[in-house]
Amino acid sequence: MNAQEYYHRVIDRLKNCYQFTHYVIASGNELAAEAHDTVFPAIAKPVDRLEKLTVQRGLQVHMPVIGERSQSVLMPLDLEIFLTQENHKLYENKKTQRELFDQIIHIIRFLENLFQSRGIPYLLDYTPSGGHILFQNLLGYRATEELKEIGFLEEDLIKACDYIDPDDIRRWYGVSLDAARVFSGLGKIAEYISLLAMKAFKDNESKGLLPVVISDSSDRCINFDNSWSEGSPFMRNIRSPFSLHKKNQEKYGKYYAPPLADVIGACFDGKIANEETSMNFILDCMWDLEMAANHAQRFSGFIPCSNETLIDFVCEYKTSGHYLFHRDFESQEDIPRGFALEHAKKEGNIPDWTRQTLYFPNPSALQPKKITGFVYDFLIHANWKPKAIANILRDMYQNPFFNWSQDFFKYPAEEKANFWARTYSAVALWRIGRLNV
């Protein structure tokens, strides 16, 4: 079965994934001539082009996180195996991939139990490197209001959300500030879930297993890739359930191999789970498009919406030290622009490599592995407040002297700096026993 035949079998279910959105993101090397980004070639098209992009062209497709006219916000919890220079092993053959999945399946089951035990609806979509846990959040509902209440928006992010561009389908309507706050709230919940998993699997390394971390901050790890919650909501999307997955061809040299497919593992409506628990069967489907198409018939493609059970989970988060840390972070005063970096250069309680980053931050101040150490050194060794550390990163990001290639209008510098400093300050405090989850 080829790509077009596969999509023909699943197109009705694929369309249901896009229930609340007006556009689709298609990606792949085939789009190099059409896209403006040669690193990640992608195009955004009206959702009525979905069938053409898939059944006719066989492209990979992604769903935007923000729904049409900000009617919904998608939770795209993203968990993956990260092996630095050995990531290709996930795409070489099914046997090697299956051995690696032994490292991640326990964390996925932990997450499923977390959601099912609390009655929170979700869809689990397996990818060749891990999985996505998805649920929609409709504006105007009580659970979504709770998410909005814990959200926080920086001034530069507000400006980015307010911006409307009739020539960019992603920015036709801007993003309502209510939806942006829900997006921010989901990011905090994702961070809290990550810390719960890190706590549950804190002994992994001592057992010879991959450590559980946030973003790829370790060379070999199980990675909660929370970077989706950093940056402008209108720029964020996630690979759609039922999408083809072509990294084996595009990144790892399997040019003549058939593409892989993302495969749904479970759909939980809050009471009953339609699930496939055999990882051997899931991976068989991932490597066999006909099996994947047959398996897809078990699911409608509609992504479950959150219900009032999410309110209880938000309340659970609000009783944690993590919530208190977030509140404290947001209440701390900012150091005026430019001054934080200058003060940091005079700090005597940081190692040389961290001091070097202050003078030459590009690209290390964008790399999770480097940022986590940078934050730790200023927070623990130099006793800086987390917001002040964020201000150092902000000053570096906003300084054009460093020749950043990052677009800090689409990915606002203040918000970006706050995200990384907040995330890794929380991790550092948890690791030394000063933050409880």
Side-chain angles (χ1 to χ4, degrees):
M1 178 178 281
N2 64 25
Q4 287 76 8
E5 291 169 333
Y6 165 76
Y7 274 133
H8 179 75
R9 290 282 310 281
V10 304
I11 186 61
D12 290 342
R13 286 155 175 78
L14 181 60
K15 287 178 179 178
N16 290 340
C17 296
Y18 292 80
Q19 180 182 12
F20 299 115
T21 185
H22 64 289
Y23 71 95
V24 54
I25 303 288
S27 68
N29 291 347
E30 308 100 317
L31 298 171
E34 302 171 55
H36 299 293
D37 186 343
T38 57
V39 177
F40 181 72
I43 55 174
K45 294 293 181 182
V47 75
D48 62 11
R49 306 279 184 87
L50 179 62
E51 190 163 350
K52 180 178 180 181
L53 295 168
T54 55
V55 176
Q56 293 185 31
R57 299 187 63 181
L59 298 171
Q60 302 166 99
V61 286
H62 306 249
M63 303 176 296
V65 166
I66 301 295
E68 184 175 12
R69 298 182 184 272
S70 298
Q71 67 179 305
S72 61
V73 184
L74 177 68
M75 163 64 100
L77 194 64
D78 188 354
L79 184 68
E80 64 182 11
I81 300 167
F82 180 72
L83 303 172
T84 317
Q85 300 302 319
E86 294 188 330
N87 259 27
H88 61 89
K89 290 183 176 181
L90 288 159
Y91 299 85
E92 282 183 349
N93 57 68
K94 188 167 50 178
K95 181 178 181 296
T96 302
Q97 184 195 39
R98 180 67 183 89
E99 292 170 355
L100 289 166
F101 259 69
D102 285 340
Q103 295 266 355
I104 198 172
I105 191 59
H106 302 294
I107 295 93
I108 290 176
R109 295 290 177 258
F110 169 85
L111 296 175
E112 287 201 273
N113 180 66
L114 185 150
F115 283 92
Q116 290 188 20
S117 65
R118 292 160 175 80
I120 301 172
Y122 69 92
L123 184 146
L124 167 62
D125 188 37
Y126 285 103
T127 74
S129 60
H132 303 149
I133 288 184
L134 311 170
F135 57 87
Q136 291 282 7
N137 301 274
L138 300 181
L139 273 290
Y141 284 74
R142 286 184 60 211
T144 310
E145 287 295 308
E146 290 293 319
L147 292 169
K148 184 177 75 174
E149 190 270 332
I150 62 172
F152 178 83
L153 303 180
E154 293 82 1
E155 288 300 318
D156 60 357
L157 182 60
I158 291 173
K159 291 177 183 178
C161 289
D162 283 341
Y163 184 78
I164 292 174
D165 183 353
D167 295 322
D168 184 347
I169 194 170
R170 293 169 296 188
R171 308 188 80 169
W172 277 1
Y173 312 114
V175 174
S176 77
L177 299 189
D178 282 350
R181 287 190 180 92
V182 172
F183 177 81
S184 171
L186 285 171
K188 290 180 179 178
I189 291 299
E191 186 181 320
Y192 176 61
I193 291 171
S194 303
L195 284 175
L196 289 177
M198 290 168 67
K199 178 181 179 180
F201 295 94
K202 64 183 186 324
D203 296 328
N204 264 20
E205 279 191 281
S206 64
K207 298 176 182 177
L209 302 173
L210 295 173
V212 180
V213 303
I214 297 178
S215 293
D216 49 354
S217 54
S218 181
D219 285 340
R220 298 172 61 83
C221 58
I222 304 296
N223 162 23
F224 277 89
D225 187 2
N226 291 349
S227 60
W228 60 264
S229 61
E230 174 264 302
S232 300
F234 58 84
M235 289 301 296
R236 293 309 186 185
N237 58 80
I238 191 102
R239 188 183 308 278
S240 174
F242 310 110
S243 175
L244 292 180
H245 198 115
K246 299 185 178 181
K247 281 187 180 178
N248 59 330
Q249 299 172 344
E250 297 181 350
K251 290 189 68 174
Y252 302 116
K254 306 292 184 180
Y255 305 114
Y256 301 106
L260 306 180
D262 287 359
V263 179
I264 293 180
C267 187
F268 179 62
D269 65 4
K271 295 181 179 179
I272 300 172
N274 176 7
E275 57 188 338
E276 174 55 61
T277 59
S278 169
M279 280 311 305
N280 288 332
F281 179 79
I282 290 291
L283 298 184
D284 284 345
C285 290
M286 198 173 286
W287 289 77
D288 185 318
L289 294 185
E290 186 165 2
M291 284 189 67
N294 291 337
H295 175 66
Q297 308 311 306
R298 288 179 52 177
F299 303 94
S300 69
F302 289 111
I303 295 171
C305 295
S306 61
N307 57 28
E308 294 195 359
T309 59
L310 187 60
I311 297 173
D312 293 334
F313 188 61
V314 173
C315 289
E316 179 184 325
Y317 152 74
K318 290 170 76 171
T319 64
S320 72
H322 197 206
Y323 172 71
L324 295 177
F325 167 79
H326 284 157
R327 288 287 300 274
D328 182 60
F329 181 90
E330 288 157 8
S331 69
Q332 293 170 19
E333 290 189 14
D334 287 299
I335 299 173
R337 179 178 174 177
F339 286 92
L341 180 57
E342 291 308 308
H343 288 325
K345 289 177 179 177
K346 300 172 185 176
E347 176 58 60
N349 296 308
I350 54 173
D352 289 343
W353 80 266
T354 299
R355 186 175 308 283
Q356 184 81 351
T357 301
L358 298 172
Y359 293 90
F360 304 99
N362 189 1
S364 56
L366 295 174
Q367 299 168 338
K369 184 181 176 183
K370 302 291 180 64
I371 298 174
T372 187
F374 181 91
V375 170
Y376 188 95
D377 287 340
F378 272 97
L379 180 74
I380 306 303
H381 294 153
N383 203 32
W384 280 54
K385 288 185 177 294
K387 180 61 75 68
I389 301 169
N391 293 157
I392 303 172
L393 292 171
R394 174 208 62 195
D395 285 355
M396 293 192 291
Y397 294 155
Q398 290 181 338
N399 190 336
F401 174 78
F402 297 124
N403 296 314
W404 302 104
S405 57
Q406 181 89 61
D407 183 341
F408 288 117
F409 183 63
K410 290 183 176 178
Y411 301 94
E414 182 184 2
E415 188 279 335
K416 187 181 190 73
N418 282 354
F419 170 83
W420 289 113
R422 185 194 78 198
T423 297
Y424 287 136
S425 291
V427 170
L429 292 172
W430 171 75
R431 289 195 186 283
I432 64 171
R434 288 169 52 188
L435 186 151
N436 295 315
V437 293

